[in-house]
Amino acid sequence: MKFEDFGLSTAIMQAIATKGYVTPTPIQSQAIPVAIRGEDLLGSAETGSGKTAAFAIPVLHNLTEKGNPAKGQGRRIRALVIAPTRELSSQILDSFYAYGANTPLKFAAIYGGVPQSGQERALRNGADVVIATPGRLMDLINQRIVDLGHIEILVLDEADRMLDMGFLPDIRKIMSYIPKARQTLFFSATMPRNVQVLADTLLNNPARINVEQPKGTADRIEQSVFMVSQKDKGSFLVSYLGSESFNSAIVFTRTRHGADKVVMRLRRAKIYAEAIHGDKSQSARQRTLDGFRNRQVNVLVATDIAARGIDVDHITHVVNFDLPREADTYVHRIGRTARAGAKGKAVSFCDSSERSLLRAIEKMVNKKLPVVQPKFEFVPEAAPEKSEAPMRSEPYRKVTPSRQVAAPRSSGSSGSAPGDYPRRGSKNKSQKTKYNKFKSSGGGGGNGGGHRSSGD
Ligand code: AMP
């Protein structure tokens, strides 16, 4: 299947060519023709499979083909995409801008954590497609700022995650404002029973598309477990990262506080890390993500919810600093690596109290994860991690090319990009560390969810 086979408009084909896509991914090959025909769709696909384009392209195609039925009466919201997190919403908005750059359509994203005013303005200025998280969308519906009465296409993205996050009541409420006569595209990485039940209530005789991507990806991920006591995990992480030739790593912790502690521990070892979690402002999160994408941040320490939807191709290592309480979260976590056909490593630090979580994960992935001995020398720290310097709220350190992190084994080997690492050795923990903020590269990353029409 080629993009030419879908019968897309020149405007969309040009945008696809600009993105550099040559062939559709499996989910795109299957979903785009069905969605263009106006049928409902139930798609099982992970982030990384190309599913955003699999729904964004047909939404753009169908809306432009039909023309605006409200001509002369201003713009109405004609398509709604509901997604679990602001990061994902912002990424989806960027995709609509990219694929819809040559169409006359306007787009807006609405999500919490940023002031409402910019989003209100975007809606007042008119948006054909709105991408929203359930909570903020419900707020705006209650304030009568958003009108969903003319929705033609509804997309639910990462439905399983939205239910995990407790959004079911909001979703049900939102549905009551959307016309029944509509097309619905429903995507979920996993299909547990509660997701299936929701899909059954929303979809009308859907085409079912199941892309085997998670399995294919998992084959390229080297998974292993280190048995490490909870108190030693911070130092162990430093030794582990020092022994690996890593490009970019994402470390998952269960709590926000835990994430901040890990960041402090890594910085003490001169490993440049940033945390991303719900206590951070949206602009701080976006800056961190931009820095991680640009490889200026080497290690991203994240809680599960904040990390959802992060789509960065160059992550070589995933570290489960804490094992997740839900086994399917493990699958989501390790799927951050081995993107775009690359290989990746996923290691789990398992305290003896976490053995039951490990067993649940093994049941979920249907295989035993090898418990391995570290190949590096590990000396647990004697002192507790108390005397760490307080962390500045959004510190960024200037990156100096060709420096390495704590004694890696194979410096300069393939996979580690020069310039990934911070200047080392210039500060110690008791000093007030001075960081330089880098300028986030323009364009890419959402700016608070407000409306950005093409060319803004
Ligand atoms: P998604 O699953 O939508 O998050 O997409 C994952 C990544 O694949 C993104 O970086 C997309 O830009 C990229 N992508 C999507 N479709 C294609 C395609 N047909 N060819 C190459 N890359 C693609």
Side-chain angles (χ1 to χ4, degrees), residues 237-436:
L237 176 63
V238 170
S239 303
Y240 173 71
L241 290 177
S243 75
E244 289 285 310
S245 175
F246 75 95
N247 216 346
S248 296
I250 184 161
V251 176
F252 285 98
T253 61
R254 207 174 291 140
T255 64
R256 300 164 187 192
H257 175 65
D260 286 337
K261 266 183 75 172
V262 170
V263 165
M264 288 191 285
R265 183 66 190 85
L266 291 175
R267 286 191 189 164
R268 270 171 44 203
K270 310 288 182 254
I271 296 174
Y272 187 33
E274 284 285 354
I276 183 164
H277 56 59
D279 283 348
K280 303 268 177 183
S281 70
Q282 175 58 17
S283 57
R285 285 183 187 205
Q286 196 60 58
R287 229 180 359 259
T288 299
L289 263 186
D290 288 344
F292 191 56
R293 265 203 196 97
N294 301 340
R295 302 168 185 245
Q296 289 173 291
V297 174
N298 307 125
V299 181
L300 188 68
V301 185
T303 54
D304 290 298
I305 289 175
R308 192 65 192 152
I310 289 177
D311 167 28
V312 176
D313 284 344
H314 54 78
I315 299 173
T316 51
H317 290 66
V318 172
V319 178
N320 294 302
F321 190 88
D322 299 314
L323 294 196
R325 292 206 184 284
E326 306 286 338
D328 65 341
T329 301
Y330 175 83
V331 179
H332 288 298
R333 285 182 178 186
I334 68 169
R336 303 298 109 196
T337 184
R339 314 279 286 209
K343 287 188 175 170
K345 278 192 183 178
V347 295
S348 301
F349 294 176
C350 182
D351 179 72
S352 54
S353 65
E354 294 176 308
R355 281 179 199 274
S356 60
L357 300 175
L358 178 62
R359 276 195 295 275
I361 290 166
E362 289 177 334
K363 213 167 146 198
M364 172 92 196
V365 298
N366 204 17
K367 70 172 175 189
K368 198 146 177 53
L369 299 180
V371 175
V372 293
Q373 292 302 319
K375 291 198 184 111
F376 48 87
E377 196 184 341
F378 170 60
V379 186
E381 261 192 339
E385 299 171 11
K386 266 193 175 155
S387 54
E388 290 142 347
M391 207 171 51
R392 282 162 52 111
S393 54
E394 295 161 25
Y396 280 90
R397 180 184 289 197
K398 195 172 172 185
V399 176
T400 306
S402 70
R403 292 288 186 160
Q404 281 284 37
V405 164
R409 280 201 156 162
S410 47
S411 63
S413 72
S414 65
S416 65
D420 280 0
Y421 302 104
R423 188 191 302 276
R424 67 196 305 216
S426 57
K427 307 286 178 297
N428 68 39
K429 65 188 174 188
S430 62
Q431 283 177 300
K432 214 175 177 188
T433 312
K434 192 160 171 61
Y435 292 99
N436 295 319

Side-chain angles (χ1 to χ4, degrees), residues 25 33 54 66 72 75 91 97 120 139 155 181 208 212 233 278 346 400-401 403 413 428:
T25 65
K66 274 195 204 165
R75 278 173 197 269
Q91 283 178 17
Y97 278 124
E120 270 183 58
D139 283 353
V155 180
R208 286 168 193 269
E212 291 281 308
K233 283 184 178 181
T400 306
R403 292 288 186 160
S413 72
N428 68 39

Side-chain angles (χ1 to χ4, degrees), residues 35-52:
I36 279 180
R37 288 200 297 272
E39 293 173 26
D40 281 5
L41 184 87
L42 178 56
S44 173
E46 282 264 17
T47 298
S49 60
K51 73 177 160 53
T52 314

Side-chain angles (χ1 to χ4, degrees), residues 3 16 19-25 27-28 46-55 88 91 95 99 309 311 313 339-340:
F3 280 111
I16 291 170
K19 284 290 283 178
Y21 301 168
V22 179
T23 41
T25 65
I27 184 85
Q28 291 163 4
E46 282 264 17
T47 298
S49 60
K51 73 177 160 53
T52 314
F55 63 74
L88 184 58
Q91 283 178 17
S95 295
Y99 308 133
D311 167 28
D313 284 344
R339 314 279 286 209

